[in-house]
Amino acid sequence: MNVTKTPTGKSINGAEIYAIDLENNTGTKVRIFNYGTIINSFEIINKDGKKQDIVLGFDTIDGYLSDAYLANYPYFGAIIGRYANRIANGSFSIDGTKYELSKNAGGATLHGGTEGFDKKLWNIDQVATEPHASVTFSYTSPDGEEQFPGTLETQLSFELTDHNELILSYQAETDLATAVNLTHHSYFNLSAEGGNIAGHLHRMNASRYLEQDDNFTVTGNLLPVEGSHHDFRLGKTIGENWDAETGYDQTYVLDKPYGDLTLASETTDPVSGLRLQVYTTEPVAHFYTAKHLEVQNGKKGQEYRPFDAFCVETQHHPNGINIADFPSTVLKPGQTYYQTTIYKVII
């Protein structure tokens, strides 16, 4: 096990951005920036004995800060907070008080607002090599940030095991009742050559998905996957019967006991043989096949195009703060928010 901390030469408001490298005993290496806790690379040794990076991104931190990238921003590899996905009309009420948030998606609040947790510089609290290579970050979101109530103390740790498991453990506390729904937004491609992921095999343990309006905001209705192209229960190629123009951008309700750490999805590239399993304590997973992806000068000069990656964003129900029948996303003083998600690569 090995952990290294390297300055990038870039700073935010005078504070240095660092790259943290976690390496296990099998040669797997994960690089994470403390800017947005971005998973910059997830590099494994594939069956041919070659290094293969399974996440999209840039060679250096500069790409994530460039105006060109931010103009068509896909949230590459970053934490999402305070609230993942869309909040309808950019507002919610807690205990009779209504909060109007920053709106950044057609009248809704998307991924925490104009400047969410993905654009914050996180503190590096601890690095360790035992029992596994790990790093723990923290960020204090002040009361009123993006108009959310309460000061939220958030901690996120990454732990890389010898079983090629990257374990993400979240924790948060507040001094005032607030809305919290955290996730991570890595873009995966399991092909050694990259490119379109329509041929990846995908399986998801979900019998229902969440209806969305024309602005992709969850309405509160649950729909059965049976008889629709959303049915991944037995596994199929991602492109088998999708809409080739839109792909998938949908939230699936996982068939699991609430709070249990269980398998949410499994995705395999038939050519490379790589398999990515996602385990989570969260009740839903948002499956996105990157229909809006248009990025120049990615890693090694690559151009990333629509459907060149997939995301499995584990979280609570989007817009759940406004839908009483959904699991609560209200965090109150004296309570602690917990979440665990594991990305496991099988070679």
Side-chain angles (χ1 to χ4, degrees), residues 24-37:
N24 68 13
N25 292 318
T26 70
T28 296
K29 188 175 181 179
V30 176
R31 170 165 286 188
I32 306 160
F33 294 122
N34 65 323
Y35 171 70
T37 71

Side-chain angles (χ1 to χ4, degrees), residues 10 20 50 181 183 193 195 231 244 274:
K10 297 292 181 180
I20 310 298
K50 297 179 180 179
N181 189 21
T183 191
E193 306 302 325
D231 194 348
L274 287 185

Side-chain angles (χ1 to χ4, degrees), residues 12 15-18 33-38 78-81 116-125 136-141 152-158 170-171 182 184:
I12 301 289
E16 181 77 40
I17 300 175
Y18 286 90
F33 294 122
N34 65 323
Y35 171 70
T37 71
I38 290 171
I79 188 173
I80 303 298
F117 287 6
D118 52 288
K119 294 189 177 77
K120 303 300 183 182
L121 194 65
W122 288 60
N123 297 319
I124 303 170
D125 290 350
T136 300
F137 301 101
S138 65
Y139 173 68
T140 300
S141 176
L152 189 72
E153 302 280 354
T154 307
Q155 192 174 76
L156 172 58
S157 68
F158 297 82
Y170 305 73
Q171 184 173 317
L182 305 178
H184 225 265

Side-chain angles (χ1 to χ4, degrees), residues 28-246:
T28 296
K29 188 175 181 179
V30 176
R31 170 165 286 188
I32 306 160
F33 294 122
N34 65 323
Y35 171 70
T37 71
I38 290 171
I39 299 175
N40 169 239
S41 63
F42 195 146
E43 193 175 76
I44 57 90
I45 307 298
N46 65 21
K47 64 182 182 181
D48 297 321
K50 297 179 180 179
K51 293 180 180 180
Q52 182 177 333
D53 193 350
I54 64 170
V55 297
L56 275 59
F58 299 97
D59 292 324
T60 68
I61 189 64
D62 300 77
Y64 300 93
L65 304 175
S66 71
D67 291 339
Y69 170 68
L70 295 173
N72 187 30
Y73 182 52
Y75 299 87
F76 268 168
I79 188 173
I80 303 298
R82 284 189 192 189
Y83 207 97
N85 218 296
R86 288 166 173 79
I87 296 176
N89 303 312
S91 65
F92 61 85
S93 295
I94 298 178
D95 298 331
T97 300
K98 186 174 183 179
Y99 298 95
E100 296 284 349
L101 309 175
S102 299
K103 299 177 179 67
N104 61 330
T109 298
L110 173 65
H111 289 342
T114 306
E115 189 175 290
F117 287 6
D118 52 288
K119 294 189 177 77
K120 303 300 183 182
L121 194 65
W122 288 60
N123 297 319
I124 303 170
D125 290 350
Q126 183 180 27
V127 296
T129 56
E130 296 294 338
H132 306 111
S134 66
V135 58
T136 300
F137 301 101
S138 65
Y139 173 68
T140 300
S141 176
D143 180 30
E145 185 171 72
E146 299 296 317
Q147 286 69 62
F148 282 90
T151 299
L152 189 72
E153 302 280 354
T154 307
Q155 192 174 76
L156 172 58
S157 68
F158 297 82
E159 184 177 3
L160 180 63
T161 76
D162 280 340
H163 298 292
N164 289 335
E165 299 164 318
L166 183 64
I167 304 171
L168 281 64
S169 301
Y170 305 73
Q171 184 173 317
E173 296 180 344
T174 183
D175 62 358
L176 186 66
T178 191
V180 180
N181 189 21
L182 305 178
T183 191
H184 225 265
H185 210 306
S186 285
Y187 285 70
F188 293 99
N189 189 308
L190 305 179
S191 168
E193 306 302 325
N196 194 288
I197 46 84
H200 281 39
L201 297 168
H202 185 70
R203 180 168 64 88
M204 184 171 286
N205 297 321
S207 300
R208 297 173 297 170
Y209 68 101
L210 301 183
E211 181 185 67
Q212 300 173 156
D213 64 19
D214 291 340
N215 192 37
F216 299 96
T217 304
V218 166
T219 66
N221 294 327
L222 277 69
L223 304 176
V225 302
E226 188 170 0
S228 77
H229 69 282
H230 291 288
D231 194 348
F232 286 99
R233 290 174 296 176
L234 297 179
K236 62 180 179 179
T237 61
I238 292 174
E240 180 176 321
N241 55 356
W242 69 351
D243 184 323
E245 293 185 2
T246 60

